[in-house]
Amino acid sequence: MLSPELPPMSKPSPRTKPSSWLADSVLFFSGAFLALLVLFTFYSFVSTYSSPNFARTVTSPPPTAEPDQCADDANLRRDPPDPTFYDDREVRYTLGDPVQNWDEKRQQWLLLHPSLAAGAGERILMVTGSQPAACRNPIGDHLLLRFFKNKVDYCRLHGHEIFYNNALLHPRMGSYWAKLAVIRAAMVAHPEVEWIWWVDSDALFTDMEFKLPLDRYKNHNLVVHGWAHLVMETHSWTGLNAGVFLIRNCQWTMDFLEVWASMGPQTPDYEKWGETLRSTFKDKAFPESDDQTGLAYLIYKEKEKWGKKIYLESEYYFEGYWAEIVGTLDKIEDRYAEIERGEEDNAVRLRRRHAEKVSEQYGAFREEYLSEAGYGRGSWRRPFITHFTGCQPCSGRHNEMYKANSCWDGMEKALNFADNQVLRKYGYVHPSTMDRAVSTVPFDYPSE
């Protein structure tokens, strides 16, 4: 804070009366005595009522940020009257009406909202949703609620916002195609975010500490779990999974969504696209055009135009197949507990109780122990996202290759596994991954 300006010092003038020296001296010593008396009284008061001396060193909080300095202090009531793309009637939220010069429009909006511009390059909006009607499966709505809670927990821990949609934004784009209309609308509704992260309703986070390695994707606009050789060489429609993907809020995405959606049921070429996709990907099990095979087709057939900006992530469980994950969760939980039972300083630090708000720091501490764990199948690292593809928790019409109980029990185990990572910060855990009840956590858990 700037100090108030002081008036200029006056130029001293010579004394005109020698007799004033004695009077000035008396006044000076009297003032000094009174000042010492006040200082002594104040010191005695502070000494008597001083703050307790904590054994643990407490770091002083950082200086207060200036207004509009960081995203955490975003001014949500500040929307200047300057015209933006929101005032342009030609800018729409719907597929079929791509916004032109979207990057420039978004940049202009951010310049008018400096508190939201700070940190915008890594800001993420998670988007998920379900059907408008109630589930047919008697436990379907309960399961969807738990899956949604899991996503809310993850977003709260990492500072992401989340949008849950259960409205059909395009009347003819249902089922797996519905997500494209939601993402398109979210791009315009949230110019402050760089990434939109679609996560299917039947996918959940089983590692609440893991953070997306965004720097890894800095030269790409779409990230999806998959294997290049299965798409480009084997031509398998399961060479990727479109149930979880990260897509950049940019002009490339505006244009790409139009091309991707052109294979959907709202177009006159829907049946033709089904034939094309099935003839290209011989293992495709059903004749209808679907979003996943359509995405694989664009990567394979239009690599130069689209594929170069699409990152097929296979190093970690960006989206993991539940059937190969659920059976490993108990052993993984035991391995993590074993790490925390150690007596070295790092292990003690890991099991220290802490505020939920600073959980990311403890995730970083844990990485010291996970360097040899590896990633993906065969690793004892927590799988990042577990996707119950084929289980259909809402309709209950699961894939015939699974038994119903294997789906529902697997969901219960995975949800409790993830929930334990959150509940522990509140002083509770599920005693086992198949136990819905909770118990209190001892002080030095899990060493005691």
Side-chain angles (χ1 to χ4, degrees), residues 39-57:
L39 181 63
F40 176 79
T41 305
F42 176 76
Y43 176 79
S44 301
F45 175 83
V46 172
S47 299
T48 307
Y49 296 99
S50 59
S51 301
N53 183 23
F54 293 102
R56 187 181 300 277
T57 303

Side-chain angles (χ1 to χ4, degrees), residues 104-299:
E104 292 79 4
K105 287 178 169 65
R106 182 171 166 248
Q107 183 62 33
Q108 179 195 25
W109 188 92
L110 287 170
L111 288 174
L112 293 172
H113 299 79
S115 67
L116 291 167
E122 295 189 351
R123 190 172 295 126
I124 295 172
L125 171 70
M126 187 179 296
V127 180
T128 185
S130 58
Q131 74 297 318
C135 292
R136 295 181 182 179
N137 182 4
I139 62 172
D141 288 310
H142 170 71
L143 289 171
L144 290 186
L145 176 63
R146 292 202 64 189
F147 274 95
F148 179 51
K149 175 196 176 298
N150 168 268
K151 296 176 179 70
V152 171
D153 284 339
Y154 182 87
C155 288
R156 186 180 66 254
L157 289 169
H158 296 280
H160 305 323
E161 292 191 0
I162 186 168
F163 172 58
Y164 190 100
N165 177 67
N166 65 344
L168 192 59
L169 300 190
H170 193 295
R172 295 183 61 192
M173 294 184 75
S175 188
Y176 31 73
W177 286 106
K179 71 186 82 168
L180 300 191
V182 183
I183 292 166
R184 172 63 172 78
M187 290 177 66
V188 178
H190 287 274
E192 80 283 2
V193 304
E194 181 71 11
W195 294 99
I196 294 173
W197 191 2
W198 174 266
V199 184
D200 270 0
S201 60
D202 59 353
L204 73 140
F205 293 85
T206 35
D207 188 347
M208 306 301 281
E209 292 178 339
F210 189 84
K211 294 185 64 177
L212 285 172
L214 292 180
D215 191 60
R216 182 185 181 97
Y217 313 130
K218 62 185 178 182
N219 297 321
H220 295 82
N221 295 328
L222 173 59
V223 183
V224 63
H225 192 218
W227 298 264
H229 71 281
L230 292 179
V231 175
M232 304 298 293
E233 299 169 16
T234 308
H235 305 154
S236 171
W237 80 288
T238 58
L240 57 83
N241 189 290
V244 178
F245 58 85
L246 188 70
I247 196 162
R248 194 183 295 274
N249 191 357
C250 65
Q251 186 67 52
W252 183 94
T253 298
M254 279 281 178
D255 301 334
F256 181 76
L257 286 177
E258 294 296 324
V259 175
W260 193 3
S262 70
M263 305 176 182
Q266 82 286 2
T267 68
D269 297 328
Y270 180 54
E271 291 186 7
K272 181 181 177 181
W273 270 116
E275 296 171 1
T276 301
L277 295 179
R278 201 171 190 187
S279 65
T280 305
F281 298 89
K282 304 296 185 182
D283 62 343
K284 181 171 165 56
F286 51 92
E288 295 84 14
S289 172
D290 68 287
D291 66 320
Q292 180 168 300
T293 316
L295 178 56
Y297 181 90
L298 292 173
I299 295 173

Side-chain angles (χ1 to χ4, degrees), residues 64-75:
T64 303
E66 294 294 327
D68 293 336
Q69 183 175 334
C70 63
D72 289 341
D73 296 325
N75 188 347

